Amino acid sequence: MKECILYKPYKGKVQCLACANKCVISDGKTGLCGVRKNLKNKLYLLVYGKPVAVHVDPIEKKPLYHFLPNTKTFSFGTVGCNFKCKFCQNADISQEKTIMGQKYTVKKIVELALESGCKSISYTYNEPTIFIEFVKDVAELAHKNGLKNILVTNGYFTKKSLDFIAPYIDAMNIDLKSFSNDFYLKHSGTKLKPVLDSIKRVHKKGIHIELTTLLIPGENDSKKELENIAKFIASVDKNIPWHISRFFPMYKMLNKSPTELQSLKEAEKIGKKYLKYVYLGNI
Ligand code: SF4
């Protein structure tokens, strides 16, 4: 546990500034993600130094296809998330309410990454914005040791949290789950606009960026919506790679079938009208 940096006093409580939920948190309570707790009007990060999942992955698994290809990335995540996606592919850790994980110091993570021959560290599996101060400490030491840093994120940054972490981050894969605010509200309990703002800001900061959309039958796979996503990405930069990923029934969305290969192909065709690099994943 460590005191957070991204928060401020707010009407006798505290307000967290790590993500666009901007939770106002009373003494003794945690924010929506469950890992940032107000104790006597100081905000603490409960999962600091406590990864719950630690693996060495191929970088293409993040997915990043245009950044350090054919290298391994030291990957970890904690419990908790600021989204409540019904289709979450990692709900066992992201929606876990008990704070758990093994103790890893910042130094230990960087040493393990170097020992395992990785070229980068990925903050992934759950949403890294919620443990952003831990990310910053690891990422800073990683840079000093010649490693790159990768965020795999839902993009729900505040301007402040992105400015805070950007100097340490070399690449991001950001989920663009849909182009509909209703979809974000209904399935994740969040909003679309902060995600679009983040994508534009990350690109402007010169951080390498790739985007991912999980294609869910009947939810975000209409021709119109896919056109809107592709057009938006192209308006930022038509060279941004777009990964369209196949959905499999998970967590609270078990009533849907996996995405048909045909609809993935159609989405790819739409993407290629506007973008230079479109990839299908999970197939
Ligand atoms: S990081 Fe957690 S506590 Fe902070 S605003 Fe987001 S959901 Fe709320």
Side-chain angles (χ1 to χ4, degrees), residues 16-23 25 31-34 36 82 129-130:
C16 177
L17 304 171
C19 92
N21 283 325
K22 289 191 176 172
C23 298
I25 310 169
L32 281 171
C33 57
R36 299 172 75 87
N82 52 352
T129 326
I130 66 171

Side-chain angles (χ1 to χ4, degrees), residues 2 48-49 51 74 76 103-116 121 123 134-142 144-145 147:
K2 193 169 181 185
Y48 189 99
F74 191 84
F76 75 88
K103 213 170 163 342
Y104 280 80
T105 61
V106 166
K107 197 165 158 252
K108 182 85 192 156
I109 291 174
V110 173
E111 275 171 9
L112 287 171
L114 290 167
E115 275 166 26
S116 52
I121 297 183
Y123 311 85
F134 184 35
V135 173
K136 187 238 163 206
D137 288 353
V138 176
E140 194 171 18
L141 188 64
K144 284 183 184 149
N145 284 273
L147 293 163

Side-chain angles (χ1 to χ4, degrees), residues 223 226-227 229-231 233-234 238 240 242 244 264-279:
K223 190 169 176 290
L226 294 167
E227 291 259 355
I229 295 178
K231 278 188 203 165
I233 302 171
K238 66 177 179 3
I240 294 176
W242 185 27
I244 304 167
L264 286 159
K265 289 242 153 68
E266 278 161 27
E268 183 186 30
K269 212 162 119 191
I270 292 170
K272 284 192 167 162
K273 278 192 345 198
Y274 302 95
L275 303 167
K276 231 164 149 183
Y277 307 105
V278 182
Y279 303 105

